Amino acid sequence: MQSFDSDGVQIAYLDEGAGEPILLIHGFASNAATNWVDPQWVRTLTQDHRRVIALDNRGHGQSDKLYDPARYGAPEMADDAIRLLDHLKIDRVDVLGYSMGARIAAFLAIAHPDRVRSVVFGGLGIHMVRGMVGAGPLAAALEAPKLEDVTNDTARSFRIFAEQTNSDLKALAACMRGPRDKVPPEKLGTLTVPVLVAVGSKDVIGGSGAALAELIPNAQFLDIAGRDHMRAVGDNKFKQGVLAFLASRL
């Protein structure tokens, strides 16, 4: 991966393929490799003749680790993405975000509509505007001395995932304790670019995708049947739905 300076924070990214650019923003405790390379997203999109840019969010993957929770607001993380586009001299992109990445993508699209051609909100439904509960238990789970000390099932699953991705647990805890920005529903109503909401039918973490899509003018909804939050990422129906959406958007 390459890296660049985003206002004093080193952000790692990959840039592969050629064609219309698409920016991929991964979820919490993940990274570009785990979220996009391993599940074959990068391969799928480059084979569709697209230029794929995927960053490691601050505190994740190969990017700088910060331990001040105040440095992890979604708008600030969206600014990292915009600075990456500036660094690569890319004016306008399609954006695909998953989970936390979808929240970041929403702030990006709202604040910089001229830079976004279309946006896919994956793995995050109505909880984008309602907020996600359990930030405290999740942070505590990441700060626990060992996995066996974590008894909350959801928090335990995130701790296991963070260990699997070789993440910096203290940096992730700071991220989880950071600003929990809700996306104002009235702001979503101002989006004029094509939008696809794609959420697993068993995703209780992200909430209802259909309910989120109702808040966005002309948004499409893709139900990833039978998949929960963790298993929807690499689902072939998700990939094919995104490819069809990108092919049809103007």
Side-chain angles (χ1 to χ4, degrees), residues 125-126 197 199 207-215 221-222:
I126 196 63
V197 179
V199 179
S208 170
L212 178 67
E214 289 178 0
L215 300 177
F221 170 58
L222 174 65

Side-chain angles (χ1 to χ4, degrees), residues 118-141:
S118 72
V119 62
V120 179
F121 298 137
L124 187 58
I126 196 63
H127 291 167
M128 179 185 286
V129 298
R130 292 180 180 171
M132 296 177 68
V133 298
L138 288 181

Side-chain angles (χ1 to χ4, degrees), residues 84-99:
L84 175 56
L85 297 182
D86 292 342
H87 172 72
L88 296 174
K89 296 180 172 56
I90 296 174
D91 292 330
R92 200 164 179 236
V93 292
D94 298 293
V95 181
L96 166 57
Y98 195 84
S99 192

